[in-house]
Amino acid sequence: MKFIHLTPHSAIGNVKRNGIRRGDGRRGRGVYAVPLMMIQRVSHIQTNDCSRIILGDPRSSVTLWKWLANVRSDYPNLAAVTFETNHEHWPGDLYINIGPSIGIEWIKKLTSADIVIEEKNLESVKKAHEQGYWAELAISVLRQSAIGIVLWHLQQAGFRTWARFDDSIEIVFRKPVKASLIDRITPLYRTNKQFKRELER
C-alpha cells in the first residue's frame, strides 16, 4: 500500500533529496499521511427548498486533503507526496473519525492480531455515538497488510468521506520516510496541463 503526505512547494527539493522528515502535529511528532485508496464521496447540497446528501463516484484519497491547498495561508502551494513504507514504519497509528450511522459493530470483524484498539477508546466512541456525536477511533496497526483489512471492513460498513473539508482518515508514522521510498510528487496548486506547459518551456 502507498500513502499520501502533503508538503509545501518550497520543501519539494529537500523532500526529493532527503525524504520526509517528522513534523509536529496534534497527534505528536511523526509523518502525517492518508492511505492511498479509492473511497466513496458524498456532498451536502443546500437549496431554497431542501437540504440533501448526494452520493458521488469513488475518488482517489489524494483529493481528501486537496482543499488544504486553498485554505492554508501559510503554505498555499502544496504538493502530494506518494510514498511507500518499510518495516521501520510499523506499527503505524491510524485515526478514523466515525459517525453514529457507521457505529462500531464492524470492529468485531477485525480479528487480526496486527490490529490493536484500546478498550478505553472503544468505549469513548460508543458513548459519543449513543449521544449522536461523531468520535475518533484510534487503531495501532502493527503491519502494513492489516491496514487494508481495516479500511475494507470500514467501507463495507458504509463509511464515506465528504467531498470537501474532510480529514476523517489519517495515519501517523513515527519514523521519517527515506527519499528512496518516495514514488512521486504531485503539485495540488496547478492542473496537469499547467504542469506540462511548464515542462515544455
Side-chain angles (χ1 to χ4, degrees):
M1 176 173 279
K2 296 179 180 180
F3 301 88
I4 305 295
H5 168 80
L6 289 189
T7 191
H9 172 264
S10 58
I12 289 178
N14 186 56
V15 169
K16 287 181 177 179
R17 292 189 300 271
N18 304 312
I20 307 171
R21 296 184 298 180
R22 295 180 301 161
D24 294 320
R26 57 178 175 166
R27 310 185 197 283
R29 195 161 179 78
V31 174
Y32 286 67
V34 171
L36 180 59
M37 59 185 174
M38 296 298 291
I39 192 164
Q40 195 88 46
R41 312 295 292 278
V42 294
S43 299
H44 178 245
I45 306 298
Q46 181 71 50
T47 64
N48 293 332
D49 299 326
C50 64
S51 175
R52 55 181 177 160
I53 302 297
I54 302 296
L55 186 64
D57 294 330
R59 298 180 65 187
S60 169
S61 57
V62 173
T63 62
L64 276 179
W65 281 354
K66 195 169 184 178
W67 58 274
L68 283 173
N70 298 320
V71 300
R72 288 188 58 174
S73 58
D74 49 346
Y75 295 120
N77 295 333
L78 297 174
V81 183
T82 305
F83 66 93
E84 298 178 358
T85 60
N86 58 29
H87 68 279
E88 296 179 348
H89 296 101
W90 303 95
D93 298 322
L94 180 66
Y95 300 91
I96 307 171
N97 202 19
I98 302 174
S101 61
I102 301 301
I104 58 175
E105 284 299 310
W106 62 277
I107 295 174
K108 295 178 181 178
K109 300 176 182 178
L110 304 179
T111 57
S112 171
D114 294 327
I115 300 170
V116 180
I117 303 173
E118 292 187 3
E119 190 63 32
K120 183 178 180 181
N121 177 234
L122 199 57
E123 282 298 316
S124 177
V125 173
K126 183 179 179 180
K127 288 181 180 179
H129 286 178
E130 289 173 350
Q131 298 177 38
Y133 297 119
W134 286 60
E136 185 174 83
L137 180 68
I139 304 175
S140 180
V141 184
L142 306 188
R143 296 176 186 271
Q144 178 174 293
S145 58
I147 195 171
I149 297 173
V150 174
L151 297 176
W152 188 85
H153 283 293
L154 179 64
Q155 294 201 52
Q156 289 299 304
F159 183 82
R160 305 289 186 266
T161 62
W162 292 101
R164 298 183 64 199
F165 310 112
D166 196 300
D167 58 353
S168 55
I169 298 179
E170 189 171 53
I171 188 166
V172 182
F173 297 108
R174 303 303 171 181
K175 296 288 186 179
V177 177
K178 296 178 181 178
S180 58
L181 293 173
I182 294 175
D183 180 59
R184 64 182 181 274
I185 299 177
T186 307
L188 299 180
Y189 49 87
R190 58 189 175 191
T191 64
N192 288 335
K193 287 184 179 180
Q194 290 173 327
F195 179 65
K196 289 178 180 179
R197 280 200 298 266
E198 289 185 18
L199 289 179
E200 292 170 354
R201 289 178 182 173

